[in-house]
Amino acid sequence: MQKIEAVNDFVIKFANINGSGSASANELLARAILRMGVPVSPRNIFPSNIQGLPTWFEVRVTEHGYLGRRGGVDLMVAMNPQSWDQDVREIDPGGYLFYDSSKPLPRSKFRDDIHLLAMPLTEICNETYSDARERQLFRNIIYVGALAWLLDVDPAEIEKLFGEQFRGKEKLLDSNIQALALGREYAREHLKPIALKVERRDRVGERIFVDGNSAAALGCIYGGAMVCAWYPITPSSSVAEAFERYAQKLRIDPATGARRYTIVQAEDELASIGMVIGAGWNGARAFTATSGPGISLMSEFIGLAYFAEIPAVLINVQRGGPSTGMPTRTQQADLIACAYASHGDTRHVLLFPEDPYECFEMSAQALDLAERLQTPVFVMTDLDIGMNQRLCRPFAWDDSREYDRGKVMTREALDSGADFGRYLDVDGDGIPYRTYPGTHPTKGGYFTRGTTKNAYAVYSEAGADYVYNVQRLKKKFETAKSLVPLPVLTAARYPARFAAIFYGSTSPAMHEALDALADQGIYINALRVCAFPFQDEIAEFVAAHSKVFVLEQNCDGQLATMLVNEAGVNPASLISIRHYDGTPITARFITQEIAERVSRLNVRPLREDMVA
């Protein structure tokens, strides 16, 4: 029988029951492999209930450094009878099935083309532990011990992780080490070696291992945020929670011990964005963290901030929709909702981070952009980036960094006789000057309103005043093109007539797919879009290729729609490829979809330099 053989290049998938404590044990194995210098990319795929439903934890191991989902499973750890049939089907031919053999299963429950690794975990736990909760928790550690032996994972690395986790709790430390040894000894005595192995490498380098929500929170600290107002919603709540942890360390006055930050858990989403807007109007840097349903509820105040021109940052950790949708699944389906949030003619700045590093970087940048442009700015992350640990570049922290506060009229300028009109475009970029409350006792005051006004903030329903403000806001949005991050080009090794456009969390799988396609002789120039508004380079990129695949994780092809409507690209040039089942997109899916589309186009040769 075929046998999958691989060193430092395989996928393990754990199938467990939610609430069983399995996720921490599964991550323990991933971290131990990482400590051996081999890059890993774990993903927790969990249900929205507290316990009882199926949950999965996937660990991608590859010294090549690919951090996206590959697709397929080499080793399935099947610990949940509810999902057994589905889990067995996922294993690639020649792969391995590790399972609890305490209860016999009929032959029909197995496949002839996979290798079985049977271990009576329940029996072992019942014989060793009397407490029901201990039996459940240590069952996870026992199978981690067995897997560590099968894969040649150094047990010393796992024990070090235990030591860090249970520092000062020697009883817990000893019991976990004993359970780990119990699993290793059983595997050594009863299980045959497999052909998946981990060998020490030095492929991690200086990279750090962090989740995107924590990175975004720290980016808000770095960017000068002093106010966070939020309402709990999966999968964004940990942004605010991490911000509070960091603020307790970094936002305390060293002389007085006073807090230099404010965190408010509001009564609902609308109240939270209202508090952010109030803080922004007062000159404080403020943000909220939410997800798609929260954006829907915030739309009224988002429109106010846009039309009254008040800085606000919204970190949108996208999840499956619409409505409640899939609260614990990932999507990229809020582009249109956020780009045009509120009624009337609105356009908002969106930033698209690809990993935790860019969550950090773009969250800080969003605070600058919001003040520079005096408008709401959205950081469009998602559950895949936000809630999963990912290897990324170390954060670049510069203590001398200066904040871009934008156009702020000072007391001295007002005293000098400067013509202050709150909505007056004096520089031709569409951005007016503002004042902070209390800047001057008699000058620089204005009413903030969501209604139409003239350039001096005086209420007006005159059509000419309305047109003036709408046109100025459009000009300001054009100015934003020069301020937001440029798209990033990944050129094919040979001149290519086909191209791809992608963004955000699709990036890791996309880069692996580009390599796989090149191995098939299909060469693709790829452009990662990093922000909206779209720069001219994007339309020029599309025009330079006969066909452009647009990869995204939503059903409606929202990026493709926006490229046509906002960048003026020819829709006939675009081929939309969409993945939207709630799981992170895989390199295999992208490779297969593009290869099939290229085949249908029936275009040969694939490389321009092969044309006679």
Side-chain angles (χ1 to χ4, degrees), residues 423-495:
Y423 301 106
L424 186 65
D425 184 5
V426 297
D427 299 319
D429 58 4
I431 306 173
Y433 279 81
R434 63 176 176 144
T435 57
Y436 297 139
T439 295
H440 197 285
T442 59
K443 302 176 181 179
Y446 61 92
F447 287 107
T448 299
R449 58 173 80 245
T451 54
T452 309
K453 59 272 178 183
N454 67 17
Y456 292 88
V458 177
Y459 176 75
S460 170
E461 293 187 9
D465 288 334
Y466 176 79
V467 170
Y468 164 79
N469 276 303
V470 169
Q471 291 298 318
R472 183 180 52 76
L473 288 167
K474 289 184 68 175
K475 188 185 297 182
K476 181 165 73 171
F477 197 68
E478 284 294 312
T479 299
K481 288 183 180 181
S482 64
L483 302 175
V484 299
L486 289 167
V488 178
L489 173 67
T490 301
R493 70 183 75 160
Y494 298 106

Side-chain angles (χ1 to χ4, degrees), residues 229 231 269-270 272-273 288-290 293-303 314:
Y231 185 78
E269 284 88 352
L270 187 60
S272 68
I273 188 61
T288 189
T290 189
I295 297 296
S296 299
L297 294 168
M298 293 177 183
S299 291
E300 182 179 356
F301 268 165
I302 293 171
L314 300 94

Side-chain angles (χ1 to χ4, degrees), residues 40 75 93 196 246 328 566 610:
V40 298
L75 169 59
L196 303 179
Y246 293 131
T328 59
E566 298 287 345
M610 293 172 64

Side-chain angles (χ1 to χ4, degrees), residues 96-126:
Y96 306 87
L97 173 64
F98 181 99
Y99 69 101
D100 185 349
S101 60
S102 299
K103 291 183 178 180
L105 292 170
R107 185 62 203 167
S108 60
K109 287 291 184 180
F110 299 95
R111 285 169 42 189
D112 293 333
D113 62 344
I114 60 175
H115 303 271
L116 305 181
L117 302 166
M119 183 173 179
L121 283 162
T122 301
E123 286 183 11
I124 294 170
C125 289
N126 289 344

